[in-house]
Amino acid sequence: MPHAAAATPQLLRRVNAQAVLRHIRGADVATGTELMALTGLTRASVIAVCEDLIGRGWIVEQDQPADPASPRKGRPARRFAFNRGAGFVLGLDIGAATTTAAVADLRGTVIGRSSGSFRAADIPAQERIGVVDLACREALDAAGADPGRVLAVGAGIAAPVDRDGNVLVTQRFWSLFDVGLRSALKELHGWTVLLENDANLAALGERWRGSGVGVDDLVVLLAGERLGAGVMESGRLLHGRGGAAGEMGYLDMVEGVGSSDGIAALVRQWSAAGGGPSAGGPASAPRVFADAAAGDPAALAILDRISERMARVIASIASLINPEQVVIGGAVAESAGALLPGITALLPRFTATPPRVTVSPLGDAIVTAGAVRHALDYVEANALELALPGPA
């Protein structure tokens, strides 16, 4: 029977440092006494760990706040804070038509953002990399951040990605994203790039800062042009053997659905078929839903059709995965709130395990939010191995 490895002094130092850093990262300021209570370590161990983390650049010591009305006797408590500006992370959302880069500090606050467009979906790999790289550099310029201070890059693409960051290329569309981005950005800037499916990153972002905060069994549906799902089970992302968990091609075979077309695509299709708003102009989900709210019969009919279709889609997910919550996310989320009453009412007809259904408050930033979170997870897990850059 295998035995656990012995707790060497080096391993204990690492465990203690990770514990202290985790608690300091979650607080504005922490004293040595507070860290002792939170970690169970002795004062000597806490101070030794803090001194080491100060030397590495991860935390800083704060001055004692002056209070003339209550002069202190004896030695004041030492106060420590997380150095949120010790480096930066990048979060990328790379679609077929556009790419967006967001720069965040080490608490996840976005301080710079930039987007770029691809001239076509099917372009050479180097051209796609060039557009992505330009968006990254422009976002860093907007943030006033040096590329050399980037500690990790989370990148979401509209294709399945396995646990090792390899793109599944069994479909032509997916292969468009297999451009060697990780090695290219490593060569250009020295960055560590963490490639992931965009819907998976949407799930991370929603659980971090959206309507799914703290929900362990969560599905996020990116529902714009095509449906794609990011699935979290017991707080962990599901990938499957080739990274295709959450792909929605099976909807072709679902009664009353028939394809993985998203809400924006359906609005255009059904409006063009004669069921759209009576006023002129291009059909869009926000416009059709606004017309439905105003009582337009054609728009109301489209809203009802989409509500039933999405109820069937969510019911199929509920029957297979049994999540606590399903979130409709992406650029259509702001207008998709009009669908919730119809979906919620219809779900019990299609599944015995209806989940709670919400729309994401993150809008079209949902993937970059998850990409930032993905990069921060890497930084936090590898903090003691990462060499922080010097002051800018």
Side-chain angles (χ1 to χ4, degrees):
M1 180 177 178
H3 295 280
T8 64
Q10 183 178 6
L11 177 60
L12 288 174
R13 282 196 299 272
R14 177 185 176 83
V15 170
N16 291 346
Q18 287 178 329
V20 169
L21 187 57
R22 181 173 63 252
H23 289 295
I24 291 179
R25 191 165 50 232
D28 291 331
V29 177
T31 66
T33 300
E34 290 168 342
L35 291 170
M36 289 169 57
L38 290 167
T39 64
L41 299 175
T42 65
R43 181 173 297 278
S45 295
V46 164
I47 296 304
V49 167
C50 287
E51 294 285 2
D52 181 48
L53 292 174
I54 290 171
R56 293 173 182 265
W58 287 107
I59 67 174
V60 293
E61 187 166 1
Q62 301 278 48
D63 294 333
Q64 189 71 21
D67 186 0
S70 303
R72 284 180 171 269
K73 296 182 179 180
R75 186 175 181 180
R78 299 181 67 179
R79 304 164 73 249
F80 306 98
F82 182 61
N83 184 8
R84 64 190 303 162
F88 304 96
V89 297
L90 275 165
L92 309 182
D93 178 5
I94 305 170
T98 62
T99 186
T100 297
V103 182
D105 65 21
L106 296 186
R107 283 202 189 275
T109 300
V110 173
I111 55 176
R113 188 182 294 269
S114 181
S115 296
S117 298
F118 305 112
R119 62 179 175 84
D122 192 355
I123 58 176
Q126 286 306 310
E127 184 177 347
R128 189 174 295 277
I129 290 169
V131 174
V132 172
D133 180 51
L134 178 60
C136 292
R137 289 186 283 111
E138 288 179 343
L140 287 164
D141 285 345
D146 189 279
R149 298 179 62 79
V150 173
L151 299 179
V153 180
I157 61 173
V161 180
D162 69 16
R163 297 180 187 89
D164 298 318
N166 301 307
V167 182
L168 184 64
V169 295
T170 54
Q171 290 190 13
R172 169 64 179 159
F173 180 74
W174 295 345
S175 70
L176 299 178
F177 298 91
D178 188 27
V179 297
L181 185 69
R182 290 186 297 173
S183 57
L185 292 183
K186 184 75 171 179
E187 184 176 340
L188 284 169
H189 304 292
W191 296 340
T192 296
V193 177
L194 312 163
L195 208 60
E196 185 52 275
N197 172 260
D198 56 358
N200 284 350
L201 292 184
L204 286 181
E206 192 67 20
R207 188 170 182 265
W208 181 35
R209 288 188 168 168
S211 66
V213 171
V215 178
D216 286 341
D217 297 292
L218 177 73
V219 173
V220 173
L221 276 173
L222 292 182
E225 293 299 320
R226 305 283 292 180
L227 295 176
V231 181
M232 300 197 77
E233 198 276 330
S234 299
R236 298 189 302 174
L237 282 174
L238 291 185
H239 287 88
R241 182 170 63 91
E247 290 300 321
M248 309 298 283
Y250 76 92
L251 293 175
D252 294 354
M253 299 175 284
V254 174
E255 181 181 354
V257 181
S259 76
S260 57
D261 290 339
I263 292 171
L266 293 173
V267 165
R268 287 198 306 273
Q269 292 170 25
W270 293 343
S271 294
S278 55
S284 66
R287 177 168 168 257
V288 168
F289 293 159
D291 287 349
D296 182 88
L300 283 167
I302 289 180
L303 187 147
D304 288 343
R305 289 181 69 184
I306 293 177
S307 294
E308 178 171 345
R309 184 157 170 152
M310 291 301 296
R312 290 176 182 270
V313 170
I314 293 170
S316 71
I317 293 170
S319 298
L320 289 169
I321 301 171
N322 189 28
E324 175 183 342
Q325 182 177 351
V326 173
V327 181
I328 299 173
V332 298
E334 184 175 351
S335 53
L339 300 171
L340 292 185
I343 291 172
T344 302
L346 287 166
L347 272 176
R349 283 177 47 190
F350 303 129
T351 178
T353 56
R356 182 170 75 259
V357 183
T358 63
V359 295
S360 174
L362 300 177
D364 58 6
I366 189 171
V367 175
T368 53
V372 165
R373 182 65 263 170
H374 195 35
L376 288 175
D377 287 343
Y378 172 85
V379 171
E380 292 169 9
N382 296 278
L384 300 184
E385 285 73 43
L386 291 172
L388 292 178

